[in-house]
Amino acid sequence: MIALFAAYLLFSVGGLVLFKLGTSCAAVPFFERLLHLRLSWVSIGGCCCYVVSFLLYLLLVSRGELSILFPIATGVSCILVLIASALILRETVTPLNWVGAAVIVIGILLINLGRH
């Protein structure tokens, strides 16, 4: 279950980062003409990763408790996106953002403490 959860996080955060990176790449003409969307191959790869993450999420939900899984998955995803945004996308992350991440970690810990 932990490996499945890690794969979900990897594909989810990876998909978002790839999609964002792809917005600065050249668009694929086929999609621009057909769908009127400026999608690059990098963005399309991000979309594919995100679809895989959704399928993994469905598998996780079918095997676990939604009341535990959803807040943990959402919180950890938010923190990983924050880290990836800073390291890969070179976005500015403020001290207040890090405080928010710490609050999320505290919330995740409290959810897990409540389970036992």
Side-chain angles (χ1 to χ4, degrees):
M1 186 80 157
I2 292 174
L4 190 62
F5 187 71
Y8 159 74
L9 290 172
L10 178 69
F11 280 101
S12 181
V13 174
L16 289 169
V17 170
L18 284 174
F19 188 80
K20 175 69 174 177
L21 285 171
T23 59
S24 61
C25 298
V28 177
F30 171 77
F31 291 105
E32 198 167 14
R33 283 191 302 270
L34 179 68
L35 302 173
H36 303 290
L37 290 174
R38 292 190 37 81
L39 292 175
S40 69
W41 286 113
V42 176
S43 291
I44 293 166
C47 290
C48 291
C49 285
Y50 211 66
V51 167
V52 170
S53 80
F54 178 72
L55 295 174
L56 290 171
Y57 186 72
L58 291 177
L59 193 57
L60 283 166
V61 167
S62 71
R63 295 182 180 182
E65 294 180 48
L66 183 61
S67 62
I68 302 295
L69 179 71
F70 180 76
I72 293 172
T74 304
V76 173
S77 293
C78 287
I79 292 168
L80 292 176
V81 166
L82 181 73
I83 293 167
S85 296
L87 297 177
I88 298 169
L89 302 174
R90 302 286 185 218
E91 294 181 358
T92 302
V93 179
T94 67
L96 194 56
N97 295 138
W98 293 117
V99 170
V103 169
I104 290 170
V105 169
I106 292 168
I108 291 170
L109 292 174
L110 290 174
I111 287 170
N112 279 314
L113 287 175
R115 277 182 26 184
H116 302 294

